[in-house]
Every structure is written in C-alpha cells, then in structure tokens.
Amino acid sequence: MKRIIKWLMILAMAGVALIVVGILALPAILDTDSFKPRIEESLSDAVGRDIRINGPLKLSLFPFIGFVVSDFRIASPEGFSEPHLLRAERFEIRVAAAPLLSRRIRVERIGLIGPQVALEKAADGRGNWEGLGGEGGGKPAPSEGQAGPGAPPPGGTPGQTFGIDAIVLENGRLLWIDHAAGLRRTVTDVNLSLADIAPDTPLKLSFSAVVDDRPISLSGAIGPFGAMPPAGNPIPLDLTLTALETFKAHVVGRVQPGGGPEGEKESATGLTLSVDVPPFSPRAMAAKLGRPDLIRTSDPSALDNVSLKARLSAGPDSLTVSDGHLTLDGAKGEFHLNVARFDPPDIRFGMKMDALDADRYRPPSPPPGGEKTEPAPGDPEAGESTPGDRAALRRLKLAGELAVGRLTASGLTLSDLRCRIAAEDGVFRIDGLDGGIAGGALHATARADARPASIRSGFDLKLAGVRVGELVAALSGKDRIEAVGDVNLAVSAEGETPAAVKRSLSGGGSVNLTEGALKGWDLTRMTQNVKALLDPDAASASPEGRTDFSELNARFTIAGGVLDLTEARLMAPLMRVTVSGSADIAAETLDLRTDPRLVSTLKGQGDTAERSGVAVPLLITGTFADPIIRPDVAALAEQLRNLDLKGAADALRKGLDAGEGGLDAAVEAGRRRLEKALEGTPKPAPEEGEKKSASPKEKVSDFIRKLPFGQ
C-alpha cells in the first residue's frame, strides 16, 4: 500500500512538473507574432484608426501572466503633417499568477514606455484626435442583475479581489500644433506613476513634466475610493503641486462624488479643501515663463513675496472660502468669500489688511513725451459697457466689507479705512467709506444705477480737519496750498465714459480753510503793482511767491460740468479778496476774477473798514495744469480815473519841460502828490539785491505813459 501511495505522489509531482515545464516552454514554442495581424485588425476596428505593432509580441505565463508589445503606433487621419497620433516604444501588462488560484486579480504593472502623442489641429479646425473610438461607441451596459466590470465576484469585496500595484508612464512626450493660431507647444519628460490602486487603499500619485523647458510636478495620495464606482463615498486628497521651481501648493481635503448606494438618498457632488501656498515670487515665475512683461509695476520689487492659506468648499452651485490668510510683500491680510449661487450671482465677501501700499503696484509712468491718447468712442478702452455687460450687472447681488489699517494710494496715506459695498437689482452702493486722511477724517458714500439706458452715479464726500495741501499735491502733483479745513462735496453724473461723466456733472459743495497760504501766488504784491510802478526800486514778487491767509471760504454749484463760485473770499494781511467766476471741469479751463480790498492791518481778520488806494483786480484763466494770472487793466484804469492824479502828472510834466535842473525837484513833488492820492495802499518792503532803473527821466516818462490820461 505504501508503495502505491509513493508512486502516486511521484506521478502527481511529475505531472505538475510537466505542466510547469509546458507553461514555461509555451511562450518559446508558440509563435506569438502570428497573432499580430488579428490583434491589429481588432484594435483598428475598435479605435477607428490604423494601428500597427512593428516590434515583437512577447508572452509570459509564469511567475506572472503578461505580454509586451513593442513599437506600437496609432496613425493620424490623412491631411495632417504628423503621421502618428501615438507612438510608444513599449506597452506591457503583468498579472500575478498565484492570486488567480484564490479568485483574486492582482495586476503587478501596466507600463507605457516612451509614448509620443501628437495633437494637431488643422487650419480648418479639424483635429487628428477626432473620430477615435470607431462607430460602435463601446459595449452596452450590463443588464439588471449582471455584474459590471468593476463589480466584485460573489464572495468577495473589491479590495480583496482586485488591485493594481502600479501604472507607469515613462519618458513621454506631447506635441500640440495649431495651424490656425500658428502655435507649437511641446511637453517633454512626462512621467506618471500610480501605485497601490485598490478600492480600500490610497492611490499614490507622482507626475512630472517639462512644459516649454519649464518643469512642473504633482505628487501625493488620492483615496481610498471605497466601492467602485465611489457611489457617494468621500474621496480623500493629499496633493502637492510644484511649478517652475518657485511655486508650491499643498492641497488636503476630500472630494464628494455624486450619487449613493441604491435605496439611499443621493449625495451632492462637492469638495472640501485646505490650500497652503508657501511664499513664492510671481515676478520670478513670470521671468521663468519668459514673460517678465506680465508683471509691470512702478516698484520693481513688488509682487516678489506672496503666500496664501485658505479653506475651500464647493458644490455644484456654491462656493465658500473661509479662514483665508494672505501675505503680500510683507503686508498681511485675512479674507473670506461666500458664493451662495452662481446663476444669478449672489456673493458675500470680506477683506482686512494691516497695511497696503497701492502705489507700488501701479503700472510704471509712461516715458516723457509718451502721452496717452483719448480712446475713440466705441473703442474697448473707452470703458463703454455693452448690453450684455449691463445685463450681468443687473443680475449681480453683492455685499462685502473692506478694511485697511494703513493704505497708501496716489501719494496719500489713509488710516483705519473701512468700506462697505453692496449691489442688488442693478444698483451699486458704497454705503460708507470712513477713515483718517491728511490729519483729518474722511466720510464718503457713492452709488451707481445700471438700470437706465445710461449709468447714473453720485458721490458725497465730507472731509473734516484735513491738511488740504497734501490732498491737492497728491491729486495734481503740484504744491499749491497749505491749510487745514473742511471740504464738502455732493455731485451726480450720467454716462459711461470719463468725458461723458465730466460733461454731466451737477451738484455743489463748500470749502472752509484756516491758517494757510497760497503757494506760488503773491496776491498782495500782484494787487500793488501801481505802487511798484511809482517806486521801481521796490522789490518785485519772489519766484516762490506766497499769500498767507487766516480764512479761505468758498461755496460753489456745478451744472453741466461747469463749476460756478457763488461765494468765495480770502482774508489775508493788508487785504481782503473775493473771487468770482467759473471752472469748466470737462475742458479743465479757468475763468476767474479776484477783487482785492485793502485794509491797514497785517492780520487776516478784524479790520473791515475800506482804505483808499489802488488794488489791482486779477484775472485767472488758462487750464487747471497751467493757470495764467494777469491784471484786469480795464478795472485798474477805472480806479485810477477816480483818484486825484492830475496834479501829480502836471508837476511831472513841468519838471520834464524844465530840463535836468528842475527834474529832481519835480520828481519829488510828483511822488508826494501821488503818494497822497494813493494813501492807504500798503507799501511792500524793499528787498536787497534789486536792480535800479537806468535814469530818473526814463522812470518818470514810463510812469506817465501808464496813466489813463498820460500821453
């Protein structure tokens, strides 16, 4: 009996050995290349393209079942410059043999080595990828009760019955050609690795490529996926993206696929992510892209250090960004965003920065002589909105708040700035813009109504206790005034271009300033030029003229883009000045007149009694950028006619007739008579270094010719 059992065991072992030897020898005995024509034909019919396997076809049965295809090619349709849509050096699949005995499938490796993909778009818009898949479009879905391709066989769970150790793509190349656009882009060194592919384990991902000689990479883990398809189970994510050797982003969260198990309520598609972008340089990224012109700022060091952190959740119709933290070149901020729906948009947001220098991020100033031309009507740069734009504005619902601890813009520094913004039914509002500015306080509101055919807008501004000179210098670039005071302005307009808005401006306001000075304008000396004519040795106005004042008050109205002064007065030492006239805001031109009245006090207030004498009215014309100031000659002549100058002129004529001997006495007598007539006119203090006139006779003759009755 023992001998029989022994021989049976020997025979069984010999049978197993013969089977193993047969399996090992079969690939060597079998002519696998004879199957290539049938494989090529079947694949060509399935894909709808000519497919060729030019290399050998190798088969393996132990210790794994697999095959290797070399020099695999998918042809492009006729009419394209690239003959192949896909070429691959090698394609391989290996399935572990031992797990098959326990009804488990474990794919050890699926590899695509050296693939070269050429995507080409012809000038007529056709792509060489169109028509892939043939006409069949795949197999019908399994009927009820029939297991699909991803379903586990009876008696096992997905993780126990199926798994892929690795899917690998090595040394790939992608070519994109667009003949219509004249584009040709290349992605090289494409490497992709997907490891531990199973429903119950996280999928490990590693991807890298070089795009136009610029490296990018993505790595991390996705999953586990659970049932296949996921059927509503959340899928965890942990990914890291790097690009251009300067940018890195870490994303952690989960994706919620739609659907759910049969009989249960379906879950909505969505995602929840935490995004962390460490400090990087957008400027350096633009340089590595070969496009440094993408970032053009007045400060060449701006946008050199940016970082971001935020939590993000999104669904099919909503988006929420919370716990946002932003660092911008040293400035730190917090932000949040909630989009309740995308159509129509319903947006809530908030942003808070500790400091921001907006001037650093403005475009560089144009070179001298490079003046910007006004865009023609209808030009996109003219800022005109289209009917489509207007419809989108009317549908937008918006509410948000902005806060900046310290903001620098246009040379101005604002502190503790807060702004509330809202939009609904086509009406946009700034419900409150409050903060500190130029040593005082700012409060402003604004509105814009996009419902009418032409946008209607309005603006209310209140400045209290501000240093007005800082505002004027920042807005005009010129140091024209120094003073402290209040400014009130309320205007409305209609139009969609700057020119149209200026032409339609209407409203009014007031300015009340104290203890200041007008720089570059010495109104006192300008209004005393008759006295200067009498005494040519007196000092002329300084190039850095200045008119000190204790009060400057103005009231004005605006209609049709033209500002009219209803009341304006200045209280200066020795003088009170009223100003009248208008300024065309659209044309940026001036048409003003000053009427001075002389007083005998150096103070800017207190003395209101009129004094006798001549004060020259001034006319201010020209443009906002280049005003022209000149005396009102007609008004000056009228004043001189009302003075007793006849006797002084007669005395001077007699001196001239008497010759040089009597000239000096005549000049002195004329001076005394004229000074008596001009009594009350303040005399400017002489300054050192003034040039003297050539001769007394020339001085007197020139003076007489300037009198209204002089010949």
Side-chain angles (χ1 to χ4, degrees):
M1 187 66 180
K2 291 182 179 180
R3 292 176 60 87
I4 294 174
I5 295 174
K6 178 179 178 181
W7 281 106
L8 289 175
M9 293 180 63
I10 292 173
L11 289 173
M13 293 177 62
V16 171
L18 287 174
I19 292 173
V20 171
V21 171
I23 292 174
L24 294 175
L26 182 60
I29 299 172
L30 187 66
D31 183 11
T32 54
D33 286 342
S34 63
F35 296 100
K36 286 199 304 184
R38 294 185 61 184
I39 295 175
E40 291 173 344
E41 182 180 358
S42 298
L43 291 176
S44 298
D45 292 340
V47 175
R49 294 288 173 82
D50 184 31
I51 294 179
R52 291 288 180 265
I53 302 174
N54 294 335
L57 178 63
K58 296 181 179 180
L59 178 66
S60 174
L61 296 178
F62 192 84
F64 56 82
I65 299 173
F67 66 89
V68 177
V69 176
S70 300
D71 197 2
F72 179 78
R73 305 184 182 191
I74 300 177
S76 292
E78 294 183 1
F80 291 89
S81 61
E82 291 294 324
H84 297 100
L85 173 65
L86 170 66
R87 292 182 59 181
E89 295 178 9
R90 187 169 76 253
F91 175 72
E92 59 185 19
I93 296 180
R94 297 191 313 201
V95 180
L100 294 175
L101 300 176
S102 58
R103 302 180 65 183
R104 292 186 296 113
I105 300 175
R106 184 167 68 86
V107 180
E108 292 185 349
R109 176 183 171 91
I110 299 176
L112 185 61
I113 313 303
Q116 299 184 37
V117 179
L119 301 177
E120 184 176 356
K121 189 174 182 180
D124 59 4
R126 293 182 302 115
N128 66 342
W129 61 90
E130 295 178 2
L132 284 175
E135 299 180 358
K139 297 180 180 180
S143 61
E144 186 176 353
Q146 180 181 356
T157 63
Q160 296 172 334
T161 60
F162 178 78
I164 301 176
D165 291 347
I167 297 177
V168 177
L169 186 153
E170 296 179 357
N171 196 27
R173 179 177 181 270
L174 173 64
L175 174 63
W176 165 254
I177 303 174
D178 188 341
H179 293 284
L183 293 177
R184 186 183 181 93
R185 294 286 184 268
T186 304
V187 181
T188 60
D189 298 331
V190 180
N191 293 280
L192 172 66
S193 173
L194 303 176
D196 298 337
I197 305 171
D200 56 352
T201 58
L203 181 152
K204 296 181 176 63
L205 166 69
S206 176
F207 171 79
S208 63
V210 177
V211 181
D212 290 337
D213 299 325
R214 300 173 183 92
I216 61 171
S217 65
L218 177 67
S219 62
I222 306 174
F225 293 88
M228 296 298 290
N233 296 323
I235 302 173
L237 295 176
D238 188 346
L239 300 173
T240 299
L241 171 68
T242 61
L244 304 176
E245 301 177 347
T246 62
F247 177 82
K248 184 177 182 180
H250 186 205
V251 179
V252 179
R254 65 179 186 272
V255 177
Q256 179 71 54
E262 185 177 355
E264 297 183 10
K265 182 180 179 181
E266 291 190 358
S267 60
T269 303
L271 57 86
T272 301
L273 303 174
S274 292
V275 181
D276 184 2
V277 180
F280 73 102
S281 172
R283 186 176 295 275
M285 288 187 66
K288 285 185 173 292
L289 286 170
R291 293 292 308 278
D293 57 298
L294 292 176
I295 297 181
R296 298 176 63 251
T297 57
S298 58
D299 183 353
S301 65
L303 291 175
D304 198 45
N305 188 349
V306 179
S307 65
L308 174 71
K309 288 184 179 181
R311 294 179 59 85
L312 183 148
S313 61
D317 302 312
S318 64
L319 171 67
T320 299
V321 179
S322 59
D323 298 330
H325 296 272
L326 172 69
T327 300
L328 179 63
D329 295 324
K332 297 181 179 180
E334 301 175 356
F335 62 93
H336 65 269
L337 171 70
N338 179 35
V339 182
R341 62 176 180 270
F342 292 110
D343 190 18
D346 186 353
I347 303 172
R348 303 287 185 273
F349 71 92
M351 181 78 184
K352 181 179 180 181
M353 297 287 294
D354 62 351
L356 179 63
D357 186 350
D359 288 341
R360 297 182 62 189
Y361 306 97
R362 297 173 62 181
S365 300
E371 298 181 359
K372 185 177 180 180
T373 58
E374 191 73 18
D379 192 294
E381 294 186 2
E384 299 179 5
S385 61
T386 65
D389 296 333
R390 191 74 60 78
L393 293 177
R394 292 174 183 141
R395 298 173 65 239
L396 174 65
K397 186 176 182 180
L398 178 72
E401 293 189 6
L402 300 174
V404 183
R406 183 182 178 87
L407 173 66
T408 301
S410 298
L412 288 172
T413 298
L414 295 88
S415 59
D416 298 324
L417 185 68
R418 294 185 177 276
C419 179
R420 296 180 297 279
I421 303 172
E424 189 170 6
D425 297 329
V427 178
F428 294 77
R429 305 186 314 274
I430 296 179
D431 292 329
L433 177 63
D434 299 280
I437 182 171
L442 161 70
H443 175 74
T445 60
R447 60 198 174 279
D449 190 346
R451 295 172 297 182
S454 183
I455 293 178
R456 297 174 183 172
S457 57
F459 181 73
D460 295 339
L461 171 68
K462 296 182 184 298
L463 301 174
V466 299
R467 295 187 291 268
V468 178
E470 294 183 16
L471 300 179
V472 174
L475 296 175
S476 67
K478 296 184 178 181
D479 187 12
R480 291 295 193 186
I481 187 173
E482 69 177 42
V484 176
D486 304 335
V487 177
N488 295 285
L489 178 64
V491 295
S492 61
E494 183 174 349
E496 301 177 23
T497 64
V501 169
K502 288 181 180 180
R503 288 192 300 268
S504 65
L505 279 173
S506 63
S510 63
V511 178
N512 298 286
L513 309 180
T514 59
E515 302 302 330
L518 299 177
K519 297 182 177 181
W521 296 349
D522 190 343
L523 295 181
T524 302
R525 185 168 299 280
M526 290 177 182
T527 58
Q528 293 172 354
N529 58 3
V530 171
K531 189 75 171 181
L533 285 172
L534 179 63
D535 187 2
D537 292 334
S540 61
S542 170
E544 298 180 356
R546 177 186 178 97
T547 301
D548 293 318
F549 62 83
S550 62
E551 293 183 22
L552 193 161
N553 303 306
R555 304 285 185 274
F556 56 87
T557 60
I558 303 174
V562 177
L563 182 149
D564 288 310
L565 286 172
T566 57
E567 177 187 1
R569 65 180 184 275
L570 178 145
M571 295 185 178
L574 304 176
M575 182 172 50
R576 304 290 184 262
V577 180
T578 60
V579 184
S580 60
S582 63
D584 191 326
I585 299 173
E588 298 187 357
T589 57
L590 299 168
D591 185 11
L592 302 173
R593 170 191 169 90
T594 68
D595 290 300
R597 180 170 54 84
L598 304 174
V599 296
S600 61
T601 175
L602 293 175
K603 297 181 179 180
Q605 67 279 343
D607 187 352
T608 60
E610 292 193 19
R611 297 292 183 266
S612 62
V614 176
V616 181
L618 300 176
L619 299 178
I620 304 175
T621 57
T623 65
F624 291 178
D626 189 17
I628 300 172
I629 304 175
R630 54 189 174 85
D632 188 344
V633 178
L636 174 61
E638 184 65 25
Q639 290 190 61
L640 292 174
R641 286 191 183 95
N642 295 330
L643 295 175
D644 183 17
L645 301 179
K646 188 67 168 63
D650 290 341
L652 290 172
R653 285 197 185 95
K654 291 178 181 179
L656 291 173
D657 293 339
E660 292 293 336
L663 180 58
D664 291 338
V667 169
E668 289 302 323
R671 284 183 187 277
R672 287 194 296 272
R673 296 288 297 271
L674 286 170
E675 287 176 349
K676 185 176 181 180
L678 298 172
E679 184 178 359
T681 301
K683 182 177 180 179
E687 297 180 5
E688 297 181 359
E690 286 296 320
K691 294 182 179 180
K692 296 187 178 181
S693 56
S695 71
K697 184 173 182 179
E698 292 175 354
K699 295 189 296 182
V700 176
S701 298
D702 182 61
F703 170 71
I704 292 175
R705 284 195 298 270
K706 294 179 183 292
L707 295 176
F709 43 80
Q711 300 294 330

